Amino acid sequence: MYKFPYKDIISTKQFTRNDLENFFKIAKEMENLVKTWEISDLLKWKIMASLFYEPSTRTRLSFESAMMRLWWRVISVADWTNSSLSKGESLEDNAKINSIYSDISVIRHPEVWSAERTAKAVTKPVINAWDGANQHPTQSLLDVYTILKENKRLDNLNIAIVWDLKYWRTTHSLVYLMWLFDNISFSFISPKELKMPEKVTSFLKEKNISFTETENYIEWIKNADVLYVTRLQKERFTDLSEYEKLKNRFILNLEILKNAKTDITIMHPLPRVNEVNLEVDKLPNAAFFRQAENWLYVRMALLHILLNLSEWKSFSSL
Ligand code: CP
């Protein structure tokens, strides 16, 4: 079986193209397993610590569901106030304790580098489930897996990323994965207040990857093979008048999509508020709920690889 050369999953920058291609074969095998219920008894009795110090629906529940689909067990902290971190315990001490009671930790915490600090404190695997303004690497793995399934390729794609490119860390992580493939270009579509951060555009310049930045949804959507829409995150604004000024600026609807390629893939990390009109859901190109289903398979594959328990019989090709 393919094995990652990593103990922890902290950043999308750690992956190679070879890692991704092998990983997605395992995700596909997980999908087949869920659909055929071929789970081995050998996989029982592993425990995941599910440590969510910021709100989550999809990430927490898909990881916990992935564990249960693999017949493993979960212990969880779903709220900062229910953890001894709220009494002043250090992240490192807390991590050591969680690691005694479990075989792997999945952590979402508001501080940048909190996942890396946790990983350094323990010998068991740690998965970053979003560390403040930094990365959400497992979201990006399932985003790329979704692009592979929907577009049937990972090379020769224009990826348009729309709306809040400043605060949506998954868009940064996605860029750091997709540049690994051939002939990839990006269109960053956002108001100037929410532009892609300079660290990401500098990275693309350094790697000689083509990208455009624009406020014009309609002009740039026509080039896109993938349209990745994000939510305006009210909770990230210190000045709510700024949020009020920007909200409703971009709302994807069928009229705008008349300018798009007929085979465009429409994605969204969810949750959605109002940035994708409900009328879009009926299009076969609307992939966001299929994307949410893929979270399960990708997270099963990750847990399986990191816990490194047994060899699956064979891995079917995608
Ligand atoms: N996209 C995402 O991470 O969703 P949750 O915040 O619900 O986990």
Side-chain angles (χ1 to χ4, degrees):
M1 186 186 81
Y2 176 74
K3 295 186 178 82
F4 278 148
Y6 322 111
K7 174 176 87 68
D8 309 299
I9 305 298
I10 303 297
S11 161
T12 45
K13 285 185 174 172
Q14 74 192 68
F15 298 112
T16 64
R17 178 178 180 141
N18 185 51
D19 291 332
L20 295 181
E21 286 174 348
N22 282 291
F23 175 70
F24 293 144
K25 288 180 187 163
I26 299 171
K28 183 66 185 169
E29 188 69 16
M30 293 298 145
E31 188 168 342
N32 294 342
L33 280 172
V34 169
K35 288 176 178 162
T36 58
W37 294 101
E38 287 181 30
I39 302 289
S40 161
D41 278 0
L42 288 174
L43 299 178
K44 285 182 181 174
W45 310 125
K46 288 286 170 181
I47 296 176
M48 178 184 88
S50 171
L51 309 168
F52 281 77
Y53 304 115
E54 271 200 330
S56 166
T57 295
R58 276 145 290 273
T59 312
R60 185 165 75 86
L61 296 188
S62 63
F63 265 117
E64 295 184 3
S65 176
M67 285 297 283
M68 291 172 190
R69 293 281 190 192
L70 291 163
W71 290 28
W72 288 331
R73 306 289 192 270
V74 177
I75 52 176
S76 64
V77 179
D79 179 353
W80 172 277
T81 55
N82 284 334
S83 159
S84 287
L85 286 180
S86 67
K87 301 177 201 162
E89 186 172 43
S90 72
L91 202 54
E92 284 78 5
D93 281 0
N94 199 265
K96 284 178 188 144
I97 299 304
N98 293 324
S99 170
I100 292 167
Y101 302 142
S102 63
D103 303 292
I104 187 166
S105 295
V106 175
I107 179 166
R108 176 174 290 187
H109 186 285
E111 282 176 35
V112 171
W113 306 124
S114 49
E116 191 174 6
R117 280 175 58 197
T118 302
K120 282 183 175 155
V122 299
T123 54
K124 292 177 183 170
V126 171
I127 299 179
N128 181 3
W130 214 342
D131 58 337
N134 198 25
Q135 284 225 3
H136 190 4
T138 66
Q139 168 80 52
S140 304
L141 287 172
L142 73 91
D143 289 341
V144 178
Y145 184 61
T146 301
I147 294 171
L148 176 61
K149 284 179 69 180
E150 298 288 329
N151 292 68
K152 313 289 182 219
R153 67 185 193 280
L154 288 171
D155 297 313
N156 304 312
L157 290 169
N158 175 266
I159 300 169
I161 310 181
V162 177
W163 205 187
D164 179 357
L165 311 184
K166 180 176 174 185
Y167 296 112
W168 258 106
R169 296 153 287 191
T170 61
T171 65
H172 313 169
S173 305
L174 183 63
V175 168
Y176 294 139
L177 280 186
M178 284 308 300
W179 82 274
L180 293 167
F181 298 92
D182 294 336
N183 195 24
I184 296 297
S185 59
F186 296 96
S187 304
F188 299 139
I189 305 170
S190 70
K192 61 181 179 322
E193 295 88 338
L194 298 170
K195 277 176 65 170
M196 189 57 92
E198 212 268 326
K199 67 174 181 184
V200 180
T201 52
S202 298
F203 174 86
L204 290 174
K205 282 181 199 157
E206 190 187 305
K207 303 292 180 192
N208 214 15
I209 308 291
S210 160
F211 69 93
T212 51
E213 294 182 283
T214 179
E215 295 192 45
N216 188 333
Y217 214 149
I218 294 170
E219 185 189 340
W220 287 96
I221 206 173
K222 63 179 187 289
N223 299 324
D225 300 296
V226 174
L227 181 65
Y228 193 98
V229 186
T230 59
R231 170 178 66 95
L232 186 60
Q233 297 183 84
K234 186 176 181 182
E235 65 273 26
R236 304 287 171 208
F237 284 80
T238 43
D239 178 358
L240 276 186
S241 67
E242 276 299 302
Y243 170 79
E244 291 297 328
K245 205 168 71 186
L246 290 168
K247 76 173 191 193
N248 303 330
R249 181 89 64 90
F250 287 147
I251 299 179
L252 186 66
N253 58 29
L254 294 180
E255 191 57 35
I256 292 173
L257 283 166
K258 281 185 187 157
N259 301 288
K261 293 182 183 176
T262 52
D263 61 350
I264 192 171
T265 299
I266 305 162
M267 297 173 64
H268 191 307
L270 303 177
R272 152 176 67 178
V273 180
N274 67 344
E275 59 284 348
V276 179
N277 198 308
L278 291 180
E279 67 189 12
V280 174
D281 294 21
K282 67 180 179 215
L283 295 180
N285 317 56
F288 26 91
F289 289 106
R290 292 193 292 278
Q291 185 183 352
E293 183 184 341
N294 291 334
W295 298 37
L296 177 64
Y297 311 131
V298 162
R299 285 169 177 148
M300 284 174 74
L302 265 182
L303 291 165
H304 179 69
I305 291 174
L306 292 175
L307 290 171
N308 197 17
L309 271 176
S310 76
E311 305 207 315
W312 295 105
K313 286 165 283 186
S314 65
F315 296 117
S316 54
S317 57
L318 283 165

